[in-house]
Amino acid sequence: MCSKNRQESLVIYWFRQDLRLSDHPGLTKAVDLALANNRKLLPIYILDDENAQTYRLGGASRWWLHYSLGSLATSLKGNLNYFSGNAEKILCSLVKTFDISAVYWTIAYEPWRLQRDLAIKAALIKQKVEIKVFNGSLLWEPSRILSQSNQPYKVFTPFYRKGCLASGVEPRKPIAIPANFEKTLTSIKSLIQQSNSDLPQSHPNTRNINPNSTQSNRIVTTDGRLDRTLDRTIGYVESLENLRLLPTGSTKNWGKIFASVEKHTSLSNTTLTKKQSSLLTPLLAEEQIANVDKNSDRRLAEEQIANVDKNSDRRLAEEQIANVDKNSDRRLAEEQIAKIGETGAKKVLTQFLKIGLSDYKAGRNYPIRANVSRLSPHLHFGEISPNHVWYTAKSSISKKKSGQKNQFDENLDHFCSELGWREFSYHLLYHFPTLPYESLQVKFKNFPWLNDKTQLKRWQRGQTGYPIVDAGMRELWQTGYMHNRLRMIVGSFLVKNLLIDWRYGRDWFWECLFDADLANNSAGWQWIAGCGADTAPSYRIFNPILQGTKFDPDGAYIKKYVPELTNLPIKYLFTPWEAPLTVLTEAGIELDKTYPRPIIDIKSSRNRALQVFSSLKK
Ligand SMILES: Cc1cc2nc3c(=O)[nH]c(=O)nc-3n(C[C@H](O)[C@H](O)[C@H](O)COP(=O)(O)OP(=O)(O)OC[C@H]3O[C@@H](n4cnc5c(N)ncnc54)[C@H](O)[C@@H]3O)c2cc1C
């Protein structure tokens, strides 16, 4: 190792959940190091399903990640290098193969990553590689926020108002894209090309190739050239497509994911009754069509319909095909893809500040309104930093209010506090690493969950008979996003009314959300189940009928995702089973055929939940 030529050695920047160039402390330092020492920077991404195990990304997140990496690769002028496998083995092999002097990365706070990264750090330091780790994804460092008694906070308001805002530590101000970063970039491909053109003259001291690398690790072939089988030896993946993040098979839309999801959530043995599957098939057909993405063509969509099983109404399916172009789902999918990545994230923020923020506090409760930012997947994948969002939002308001005496803005304050909730989730995850899988309150240990698999399936597919719940679940499936108000409504319905373990909800969200985030998802589910860090009242049970009436008063959101109810008068839209037969017939609805009756009675299930929850010992 000591014989390495340090002038020519490489600096690795390891991208993880920080897929951007601007406001990036870790990347900036790596570029500085490379420029100051005339070294090359090798940007890498490792898909480490091996260490992630049960926390491997869900289908929707993988889809998003594919496009996000593509966008980052473009910003890096094609120099992003992909790897797949155990990150420790890959990094150690890279260090053995190439002359690497430093590896920098940004902290990712999932417990499995923290543990893995500690081991990686120790292994690389042993190899005399300089390691530097940065915070680039949170406004405040979770380890530093403690109460007066030096304990982690368990309740949001004191955490945010006292622990964060009154700590005297302002969030770091955003920084620009590192200057001249392009000059430093290199890639595995160019290193191979370079070594091939240098050889055999300079062999074995090929530039950037570790002279100590041996035949046995098959990096350098017998004629001294770099082995083309780098994929097998160091987990190198030559192209983004070969990371296989998109759904495989003949289709690239969501419909086909059901099979793998069911395995993932241990439900593969659940059988549906004939009646249930006949209810579900039109929905499946509709979903398959609605999600046809840019890469899948119309013929594929038609093939899928041809395969929809014989219980489905073929005529309906054909009508849906005819409507694909009309409904412009394809265009919508393309628009979605165009938003992924750093540039898209900044546009989404700008748009929100222009039209959403001014009525955020009240408007954020109404799922049909454009008052929420939809920044969550961008923040999760680090396409934009929370610091950038925080300061840009503040400056947009102070520009509007310049000259006014009172600069306080309740919408801005509320929006910032939601970013604070994100910080709080990470605070909980950091201090209570069992958050993703164990109820934080011990009294929930032997909770008598009912876990009815048929009801779970009806919930997952938006067939509960409660229109607002079904609209939320279908929004999730069709768009990879669900509005926060709906996450609370459907979560409460699952955990309280159906008495299904919150971990089933967690898994379904994990699979279907673009923004699936270990901290936010775990904290959100524990909060809604009332088993989390704060001692939430067990009577926090959302009534789906009242919630629908209040937050979707004209039914626009329900009609968007449950179109079979479009013609139902508003009086019955939240309770279709109460509509007289004549009204139903006129609206084209046949209960249990075109739309299901409720799978559970809301009042008695609420009382049952209250009883069970209040019987838990303190
Ligand atoms: C059961 C349940 C599961 C959830 N799972 C996730 C998840 O996997 N990933 C995820 O990012 N959020 C999750 N949330 C939190 C919240 O619903 C989403 O962050 C929010 O709906 C994202 O939409 P937005 O970007 O338009 O939010 P905005 O209202 O525009 O808020 C701005 C940002 O603040 C953060 N934020 C807002 N609300 C919360 C919250 N309650 N908790 C933590 N952070 C918040 C998000 O990063 C969000 O992008 C969950 C909530 C519940 C109740």
Side-chain angles (χ1 to χ4, degrees):
M1 277 295 145
C2 303
S3 64
K4 282 181 184 178
N5 178 353
R6 290 285 158 184
Q7 281 307 305
E8 292 184 346
S9 62
L10 299 166
V11 176
I12 285 187
Y13 185 78
W14 178 15
F15 282 97
R16 297 119 64 89
Q17 288 165 339
D18 49 344
L19 308 179
R20 64 177 185 276
L21 301 187
S22 65
D23 191 30
H24 200 316
L27 178 67
T28 305
K29 288 287 179 202
V31 170
D32 287 351
L33 178 70
L35 285 172
N37 297 284
N38 198 22
R39 294 179 201 165
K40 283 287 177 194
L41 182 81
L42 185 72
I44 66 167
Y45 180 84
I46 304 174
L47 181 68
D48 186 355
D49 285 340
E50 196 177 316
N51 278 300
Q53 295 188 6
T54 49
Y55 300 119
R56 76 194 283 279
L57 299 180
S61 300
R62 291 173 104 78
W63 184 87
W64 185 286
L65 176 63
H66 175 91
Y67 293 104
S68 193
L69 287 172
S71 163
L72 178 66
T74 306
S75 308
L76 291 168
K77 321 289 175 208
N79 287 294
L80 184 58
N81 301 279
Y82 308 107
F83 296 84
S84 178
N86 181 314
E88 183 175 347
K89 282 190 197 151
I90 289 169
L91 283 162
C92 288
S93 302
L94 278 170
V95 167
K96 274 191 199 136
T97 310
F98 299 100
D99 189 2
I100 289 160
S101 59
V103 181
Y104 286 11
W105 67 76
T106 297
I107 308 176
Y109 291 90
E110 286 97 326
W112 71 268
R113 285 189 205 260
L114 287 176
Q115 205 180 350
R116 177 199 65 180
D117 295 351
L118 267 184
I120 293 176
K121 196 171 169 182
L124 295 183
I125 287 174
K126 245 191 206 165
Q127 308 241 35
K128 302 208 166 19
V129 176
E130 182 199 3
I131 304 296
K132 277 201 180 160
V133 180
F134 301 82
N135 173 6
S137 65
L138 291 176
L139 297 165
W140 285 275
E141 179 59 46
S143 58
R144 303 225 179 106
I145 307 287
L146 293 171
S147 69
Q148 276 181 342
S149 53
N150 246 357
Q151 294 300 312
Y153 285 95
K154 289 185 170 177
V155 180
F156 171 71
T157 304
F159 161 81
Y160 179 61
R161 300 278 165 203
K162 275 195 199 156
C164 299
L165 294 184
S167 66
V169 181
E170 286 273 302
R172 179 185 52 74
K173 293 260 164 52
I175 52 177
I177 295 180
N180 294 325
F181 75 94
E182 299 98 330
K183 287 187 188 160
T184 65
L185 298 174
T186 191
S187 67
I188 296 279
K189 274 182 199 151
S190 18
L191 291 173
I192 293 175
Q193 273 165 10
Q194 199 183 321
S195 81
N196 284 350
S197 61
D198 283 358
L199 288 171
Q201 299 90 319
S202 57
H203 171 67
N205 291 320
T206 310
R207 269 164 64 88
N208 302 124
I209 307 293
N210 181 359
N212 298 334
S213 114
T214 61
Q215 297 305 122
S216 61
N217 62 16
R218 301 179 62 215
I219 299 302
V220 181
T221 58
T222 41
D223 65 354
R225 287 167 195 272
L226 262 186
D227 192 335
R228 285 255 159 214
T229 59
L230 279 175
D231 48 349
R232 262 172 284 152
T233 50
I234 56 171
Y236 176 60
V237 177
E238 236 179 315
S239 71
L240 176 56
E241 281 63 35
N242 289 347
L243 269 187
R244 299 185 188 287
L245 292 165
L246 293 177
T248 50
S250 62
T251 172
K252 286 182 176 159
N253 71 34
W254 297 116
K256 291 273 176 181
I257 299 177
F258 262 126
S260 65
V261 172
E262 282 159 6
K263 263 187 219 138
H264 181 65
T265 51
S266 326
L267 296 173
S268 44
N269 294 331
T270 314
T271 43
L272 290 173
T273 63
K274 243 186 178 173
K275 200 172 179 189
Q276 283 160 347
S277 40
S278 72
L279 281 173
L280 291 174
T281 39
L283 171 67
L284 283 176
E286 181 193 321
E287 283 160 356
Q288 284 167 353
I289 291 299
N291 291 296
V292 172
D293 81 26
K294 177 164 119 183
N295 299 321
S296 75
D297 60 12
R298 200 180 163 80
R299 191 182 46 74
L300 281 179
E302 283 170 7
E303 269 172 27
Q304 282 156 14
I305 288 302
N307 290 331
V308 169
D309 84 28
K310 59 175 177 251
N311 295 328
S312 79
D313 181 338
R314 194 174 166 86
R315 192 184 44 76
L316 246 185
E318 280 168 7
E319 267 172 28
Q320 279 158 2
I321 286 198
N323 285 330
V324 169
D325 295 333
K326 223 174 26 198
N327 296 332
S328 63
D329 291 323
R330 203 187 167 86
R331 190 178 48 74
L332 278 178
E334 280 173 17
E335 274 173 17
Q336 178 61 71
I337 290 169
K339 282 182 193 157
I340 299 175
E342 183 170 4
T343 311
K346 285 183 180 162
K347 280 189 193 151
V348 169
L349 174 63
T350 308
Q351 183 73 357
F352 164 69
L353 297 179
K354 222 185 205 172
I355 61 166
L357 183 59
S358 58
D359 188 28
Y360 180 77
K361 191 176 178 195
R364 67 182 287 274
N365 288 307
Y366 297 82
I368 202 68
R369 296 195 195 164
N371 286 110
V372 289
S373 70
R374 294 186 170 242
L375 279 166
S376 47
H378 302 283
L379 281 163
H380 170 77
F381 286 104
E383 295 169 359
I384 195 164
S385 74
N387 306 62
H388 181 96
V389 176
W390 177 271
Y391 283 109
T392 313
K394 281 184 186 269
S395 75
S396 80
I397 293 292
S398 54
K399 262 183 218 152
K400 271 188 206 153
K401 294 206 163 188
S402 68
Q404 287 179 23
K405 246 189 185 171
N406 183 3
Q407 293 255 327
F408 177 79
D409 184 284
E410 59 174 11
N411 290 304
L412 174 69
D413 185 62
H414 206 97
F415 178 67
C416 288
S417 79
E418 293 306 323
L419 293 173
W421 272 100
R422 179 174 178 271
E423 300 285 314
F424 185 50
S425 300
Y426 276 89
H427 178 80
L428 292 177
L429 183 64
Y430 182 82
H431 292 285
F432 306 99
T434 60
L435 180 80
Y437 58 90
E438 202 171 73
S439 299
L440 291 186
Q441 290 178 48
V442 192
K443 67 180 180 184
F444 278 81
K445 199 161 185 198
N446 296 313
F447 190 89
W449 301 110
L450 295 179
N451 295 342
D452 181 312
K453 299 284 159 66
T454 306
Q455 289 187 337
L456 174 62
K457 199 156 230 171
R458 297 281 292 268
W459 176 82
Q460 288 171 331
R461 300 190 178 189
Q463 292 284 337
T464 66
Y466 287 98
I468 193 78
V469 174
D470 294 340
M473 297 309 293
R474 295 187 200 183
E475 178 186 28
L476 171 65
W477 182 255
Q478 289 175 22
T479 69
Y481 174 83
M482 191 197 283
H483 188 278
N484 183 60
R485 170 64 41 190
L486 270 302
R487 296 189 204 208
M488 295 192 291
I489 297 172
V490 304
S492 167
F493 185 78
L494 183 81
V495 172
K496 303 277 170 73
N497 295 100
L498 300 181
L499 287 181
I500 290 180
D501 193 325
W502 61 272
R503 283 160 281 225
Y504 281 97
R506 170 204 66 186
D507 285 355
W508 186 251
F509 273 27
W510 186 258
E511 184 60 33
C512 300
L513 279 171
F514 287 147
D515 66 25
D517 181 282
L518 198 63
N520 286 348
N521 197 34
S522 313
W525 277 102
Q526 292 232 20
W527 182 85
I528 207 74
C531 59
D534 61 339
T535 44
S538 55
Y539 50 81
R540 188 197 281 152
I541 302 179
F542 289 70
N543 179 318
I545 303 163
L546 298 180
Q547 290 283 317
T549 326
K550 192 164 174 196
F551 296 114
D552 188 26
D554 58 2
Y557 176 76
I558 289 178
K559 288 177 187 172
K560 184 170 179 189
Y561 291 104
V562 191
E564 61 268 39
L565 300 181
T566 304
N567 296 323
L568 201 57
I570 192 75
K571 185 175 173 198
Y572 299 109
L573 190 63
F574 308 100
T575 52
W577 64 94
E578 287 181 353
L581 192 60
T582 48
V583 174
L584 288 171
T585 312
E586 208 162 298
I589 297 164
E590 202 176 330
L591 286 179
D592 275 347
K593 244 197 175 160
T594 58
Y595 186 72
R597 281 176 212 279
I599 58 171
I600 200 152
D601 176 65
I602 216 64
K603 204 170 162 199
S604 55
S605 61
R606 178 178 198 275
N607 290 338
R608 180 180 67 181
L610 285 175
Q611 251 178 0
V612 177
F613 275 78
S614 57
S615 70
L616 295 178
K617 290 201 183 86
K618 292 223 161 155

